[in-house]
């Protein structure tokens, strides 16, 4: 018996109805591609493979095989050997069917426009004119209907993908989630580094007060002349403007933390 097999375009897995069926192996998971056609009707595509001996039997039987369906009737089905996701418009060209249809549609629109321009200067008369103008109206109406059906089908496909993501959709989501996690981890590392700097300053001040019995506190001094983070009421030398030290307070703290760590070692 041919067996259903996974394929990249599948966007849904039909599971066994009960855990007992799955455990017994009487029903297995079936990968399908669920979509809506241009008329909005739901469809499912699955992929099947014969075992070598089964395929040999089909070939020996002139390509004939038997299709079994549960239930009181026979569902409408289509069976083919060609890949339905990439169809050749002309045998051997290998062009995508939808792209070929778009080309033909654009060519028809251009021809309709050309015909309308020619008839504008030389309008057709009589029965020929009636037939020609009626064909133009029908073609324009058909193109408009095609566009509406295509837009509706595309919207249905988008909704179907959202409801039943494919394996590639899940991989894309995982990649986005991993990128977001990496960005969050980097931000957390930055926050932890800043916390370590501030904790270091507080530990130094606490050790100083414990050693000398003082009660120094932190004070941020800012004016149009200086920006200083200091302990207590030290005098600020307004002329101390030489470019020494490090430009970032984080760099200055990091340098002192490294020095303290080296002294402790």
């Amino acid at each position: 018996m041919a067996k259903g097999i996974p394929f990249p375009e599948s966007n849904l897995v039909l599971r066994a109805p009960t855990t007992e069926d799955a455990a017994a192996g009487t029903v297995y998971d079936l990968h399908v591609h669920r979509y809506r056609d241009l008329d909005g009707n739901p469809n499912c595509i699955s992929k099947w493979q014969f075992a070598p001996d089964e395929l040999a039997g089909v070939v020996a039987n002139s390509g004939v095989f038997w299709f079994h369906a549960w239930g009181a009737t026979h569902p409408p089905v289509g069976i083919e050997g060609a890949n339905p996701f990439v169809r050749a418009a002309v045998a051997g060209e290998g062009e995508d069917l939808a792209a070929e249809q778009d080309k033909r549609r654009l060519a028809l629109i251009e021809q309709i426009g050309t015909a309308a321009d020619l008839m504008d200067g030389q309008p057709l008369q009589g029965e020929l004119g009636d037939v020609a103008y009626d064909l133009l109206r029908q073609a324009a109406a058909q193109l408009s209907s095609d566009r509406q059906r295509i837009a509706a089908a595309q919207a249905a496909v988008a909704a179907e993908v959202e409801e039943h993501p494919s394996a590639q959709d899940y991989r894309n989501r995982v990649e986005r989630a991993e990128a977001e996690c990496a960005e969050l981890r980097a931000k957390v590392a930055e926050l932890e580094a800043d916390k370590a700097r501030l904790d270091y300053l507080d530990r130094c001040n606490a050790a100083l007060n414990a050693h000398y019995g003082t009660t120094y506190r932190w004070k941020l001094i800012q004016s149009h002349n200086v920006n200083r983070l200091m302990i207590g009421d030290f005098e600020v030398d307004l002329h101390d403007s030489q470019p020494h030290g490090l430009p970032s307070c984080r760099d200055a703290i990091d340098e002192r933390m490294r020095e303290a760590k080296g002294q402790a070692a």
Side-chain angles (χ1 to χ4, degrees):
M1 181 186 300
K3 183 175 182 180
I5 60 175
F7 54 103
E9 296 83 4
S10 65
N11 55 15
L12 179 67
V13 179
L14 303 179
R15 307 289 184 184
T18 66
T19 54
E20 290 78 9
D21 289 331
T26 55
V27 181
Y28 58 86
D29 294 344
L30 178 62
H31 294 250
V32 301
H33 177 82
R34 180 181 285 176
Y35 71 101
R36 292 183 180 273
D37 58 25
L38 293 178
D39 295 321
N41 298 316
N43 287 258
C44 274
I45 296 176
S46 57
K47 187 176 183 180
W48 298 79
Q49 186 172 42
F50 286 108
D53 58 328
E54 294 171 335
L55 182 59
V58 171
V59 173
N61 200 28
S62 301
V64 175
F65 60 90
W66 297 94
F67 180 86
H68 302 261
W70 286 358
T73 187
H74 203 298
V77 297
I79 299 173
E80 60 181 337
N83 186 345
F85 297 98
V86 180
R87 300 173 184 254
V90 178
E93 291 185 0
E95 294 185 7
D96 183 79
L97 179 61
E100 182 64 22
Q101 290 176 337
D102 288 340
K103 291 179 183 178
R104 293 178 180 177
R105 192 175 294 110
L106 291 174
L108 180 57
I109 292 174
E110 185 176 352
Q111 289 174 343
I112 291 175
T114 301
D117 290 340
L118 293 173
M119 292 177 187
D120 184 54
Q122 297 177 342
L124 298 177
Q125 303 294 332
E127 185 178 356
L128 176 60
D130 293 340
V131 172
Y133 291 127
D134 186 55
L135 286 174
L136 287 175
R137 284 192 294 270
Q138 290 183 26
Q142 184 61 48
L143 287 172
S144 176
S145 176
D146 285 347
R147 287 178 174 175
Q148 292 177 358
R149 286 205 307 270
I150 290 172
Q154 290 174 339
V157 169
E160 196 72 28
V161 169
E162 183 65 25
E163 183 179 359
H164 305 290
S166 66
Q168 184 59 49
D169 292 327
Y170 280 118
R171 285 192 291 270
N172 293 339
R173 293 181 184 183
V174 169
E175 290 177 359
R176 288 195 296 270
E178 289 177 346
E180 291 174 359
C181 288
E183 184 178 356
L184 289 174
R185 284 192 292 269
K187 290 181 179 179
V188 168
E190 292 177 0
L191 292 174
E192 289 178 342
D194 274 347
K195 179 180 182 299
R197 295 180 183 109
L198 298 177
D199 289 345
Y200 171 75
L201 290 179
D202 281 340
R203 288 197 305 272
C204 291
N205 189 41
L208 179 70
N209 286 332
H211 183 76
Y212 291 106
T214 53
T215 57
Y216 288 121
R217 297 291 184 268
W218 293 106
K219 185 175 182 180
L220 178 63
I221 301 172
Q222 291 182 302
S223 71
H224 63 284
N225 296 103
V226 295
N227 287 288
R228 295 287 189 273
L229 180 62
M230 307 186 70
I231 295 178
D233 299 321
F234 287 118
E235 292 292 333
V236 177
D237 182 2
L238 298 181
H239 300 289
D240 181 19
S241 61
Q242 296 301 316
H244 55 77
L246 295 168
S248 168
C249 61
R250 290 183 176 86
D251 292 338
I253 297 171
D254 288 346
E255 181 183 59
R256 185 67 193 102
M257 289 173 65
R258 287 192 296 269
E259 293 174 354
K261 187 174 181 180
Q263 293 171 359

